[in-house]
Amino acid sequence: MMPDSFELGPIRPPSEAYSLLIRATKNCSWNRCKFCHIYKGQRFELRPVEEVKKDILAAKAIQDGLKALAWKSGYGGSLEAVAAAVLSNPPSQAYFNVALWLYHGGSSAFLQDANTLIMPTPDLVEVIKFLKETLPSITQITSYARSKTAAKKKPEELKALHEAGLSRLHIGLESGYDPLLKYMDKGVTAADHIKGGRNVVASGISLCEYVVLGLGGKKMWREHAVETAKVLNQIDPAFIRIRTLTVKEGMPLYDEVQKGNFVRASDEEIVEEEKLLIENLDCHSYFVSDHITNLLQEIEGRLPDDKEKMLATISRFQSLSPEERHNFQVGRRVGIYNELDDMEDEQKHRLAERAIEKLSDDGKRVSNETIYFLMERFI
Ligand code: SF4
């Protein structure tokens, strides 16, 4: 009998929220980055191709079951309606994932976990081809990769992956500043980032590079911003995606913060860092801030044309009075505001004022520690 469940890894990029998740490898092949807790304590495993294929068949079985249900149970054949019904009470996480994927059109898949590219290329090609043959509605297949692995792959291997159907790779660049990469034990250098990123771009696979704002802390923020921009300029990825540092128990960086070896930057300092990063970018990437940890999530646009527009958003925030900046910061961190315009909503503004009163000792200013605590609830 066909199993009605399959393996799922812990994470996917925010932009892959509606993708079918197929776990091609387990955990992280590096697993040492100080700022990351996701796979700590878990051993990396290459999954046998046959096992991954079984999971793809299980996803298809769930899909077919939902299609059959759409005809049988009075939904008039509407897959969206039946998927919506399953989403409210899914029998398993795998069902939930398939229903969500179908509800949103069933066109994209994301291969988990942290560095799928490390699979032997023929195996990865086989998985991608099987996925497309088994679920032909999928037109976009994406995955995470490490720069180091992308730098080691031969150009013809990356081309073969692209031809098989690999549309996009998401790489955690984090920073382009070597001393910071070393301190964070990222296991790559700026040169690796450039080589790996360029290899991917040259193969035709779309590339999304992730940058972590605040990663340099109070000490290295300038170099982090400037050197990261230099590396990105040399790669010229299709997308640059921004996240902001959060520090949780379980991350080696958490202990560094406790010992006082790493001093975190404040939200306002991070905005200054982002300004420096954007000012130094000279590439054609689409810049996106679609992560809940980012203070100014609305900073988005095509470089270089939208650079001034993005910098204007930063100026708009920086030119607010200190009280209004703090109102926005707290409102954003407690989930009242999504963007600066939301401050014009009187009710939301009042709610943010109340949040400040409640969360601060003096009724006026919420400490950075409390702000960090609020941010860490999101991840
Ligand atoms: S390579 Fe990625 S998943 Fe692995 S430890 Fe570093 S940040 Fe975490």
Side-chain angles (χ1 to χ4, degrees):
M1 199 173 66
M2 189 66 69
D4 62 357
S5 194
F6 55 90
E7 282 239 13
L8 288 172
I11 59 162
R12 41 91 190 134
S15 56
E16 305 293 337
Y18 306 129
S19 295
L20 177 69
L21 303 177
I22 296 295
R23 200 173 195 189
T25 60
K26 281 169 94 164
N27 308 316
C28 175
S29 57
W30 176 248
N31 216 7
R32 284 167 56 174
C33 302
K34 276 198 174 102
F35 55 87
C36 173
H37 66 296
I38 309 288
Y39 304 103
K40 294 285 183 281
Q42 309 289 324
R43 212 167 45 87
F44 173 73
E45 279 175 49
L46 283 170
R47 295 186 72 207
V49 170
E50 288 314 311
E51 231 177 69
V52 182
K53 283 184 173 178
K54 270 191 203 153
D55 279 3
I56 294 169
L57 289 172
K60 179 177 161 46
I62 296 173
Q63 173 205 255
D64 293 349
L66 292 175
K67 275 185 183 168
L69 199 62
W71 283 111
K72 264 193 249 155
S73 57
Y75 286 104
S78 164
L79 199 49
E80 279 81 11
V82 89
V86 169
L87 282 173
S88 61
N89 189 20
S92 71
Q93 269 306 106
Y95 257 92
F96 181 82
N97 177 236
V98 173
L100 193 66
W101 165 69
L102 287 173
Y103 185 76
H104 289 276
S107 62
S108 61
F110 179 75
L111 301 174
Q112 297 174 304
D113 279 336
N115 186 21
T116 313
L117 203 59
I118 204 162
M119 282 173 76
T121 302
D123 288 0
L124 186 50
V125 165
E126 197 177 332
V127 165
I128 292 168
K129 283 188 173 163
F130 187 76
L131 181 57
K132 286 188 78 168
E133 281 158 21
T134 311
L135 297 164
S137 66
I138 292 175
T139 52
Q140 164 139 324
I141 298 175
T142 70
S143 192
Y144 276 133
R146 291 187 71 225
S147 291
K148 193 100 172 180
T149 310
K152 281 186 191 155
K153 284 272 174 191
K154 295 194 187 96
E156 54 273 25
E157 290 181 276
L158 290 167
K159 256 208 165 78
L161 289 166
H162 184 228
E163 277 162 17
L166 185 62
S167 340
R168 175 168 303 148
L169 282 171
H170 298 268
I171 289 184
L173 182 126
E174 336 293 8
S175 177
Y177 183 48
D178 275 333
L180 180 54
L181 290 167
K182 193 163 181 226
Y183 174 73
M184 290 293 171
D185 210 355
K186 180 69 194 165
V188 297
T189 61
D192 294 327
H193 275 324
I194 294 167
K195 186 163 192 291
R198 281 183 162 179
N199 277 356
V200 174
V201 172
S203 73
I205 297 170
S206 167
L207 175 62
C208 178
E209 294 275 10
Y210 287 78
V211 172
V212 180
L213 295 177
L215 195 68
K218 283 202 196 289
K219 201 166 133 198
M220 292 188 252
W221 71 272
R222 274 180 195 281
E223 297 87 345
H224 171 47
V226 172
E227 298 305 312
T228 299
K230 279 187 196 161
V231 168
L232 287 166
N233 292 343
Q234 291 192 61
I235 300 171
D236 206 5
F239 292 91
I240 296 170
R241 279 198 149 86
I242 300 298
R243 288 179 297 146
T244 301
L245 181 71
T246 48
V247 184
K248 281 195 119 157
E249 259 186 285
M251 294 178 183
L253 191 59
Y254 180 85
D255 301 330
E256 293 287 288
V257 171
Q258 298 304 308
K259 286 183 210 149
N261 296 339
F262 182 87
V263 184
R264 296 175 70 174
S266 68
D267 267 337
E268 295 208 14
E269 288 164 335
I270 289 173
V271 169
E272 191 58 28
E273 174 188 310
E274 186 169 18
K275 183 176 164 204
L276 191 60
L277 170 75
I278 295 172
E279 280 171 348
N280 279 277
L281 282 173
D282 182 14
C283 56
H284 306 87
S285 314
Y286 195 79
F287 189 100
V288 194
S289 312
D290 60 348
H291 199 273
I292 189 83
T293 55
N294 296 325
L295 185 71
L296 297 171
Q297 204 167 341
E298 67 221 85
I299 298 182
E300 180 172 332
R302 164 79 52 202
L303 291 161
D305 297 356
D306 294 331
K307 195 183 211 181
E308 292 314 314
K309 184 191 89 179
M310 293 193 281
L311 290 172
T313 302
I314 291 180
S315 299
R316 184 177 165 198
F317 171 75
Q318 291 184 324
S319 57
L320 293 171
S321 68
E323 293 75 27
E324 286 298 275
R325 284 203 297 275
H326 194 57
N327 180 285
F328 180 75
Q329 181 193 16
V330 175
R332 172 86 185 124
R333 295 312 184 194
V334 297
I336 296 166
Y337 297 140
N338 286 319
E339 54 185 29
L340 289 169
D341 275 351
D342 290 341
M343 291 182 83
E344 282 157 31
D345 181 324
E346 280 178 27
Q347 201 187 349
K348 286 184 179 170
H349 198 277
R350 266 200 308 277
L351 280 173
E353 280 167 15
R354 267 188 232 137
I356 293 172
E357 283 160 22
K358 217 167 135 193
L359 294 167
S360 59
D361 294 333
D362 60 0
K364 289 183 188 144
R365 190 125 201 119
V366 180
S367 69
N368 278 341
E369 281 59 41
T370 305
I371 295 283
Y372 297 145
F373 174 77
L374 292 169
M375 282 171 74
E376 268 110 57
R377 291 175 315 154
F378 291 134
I379 63 154

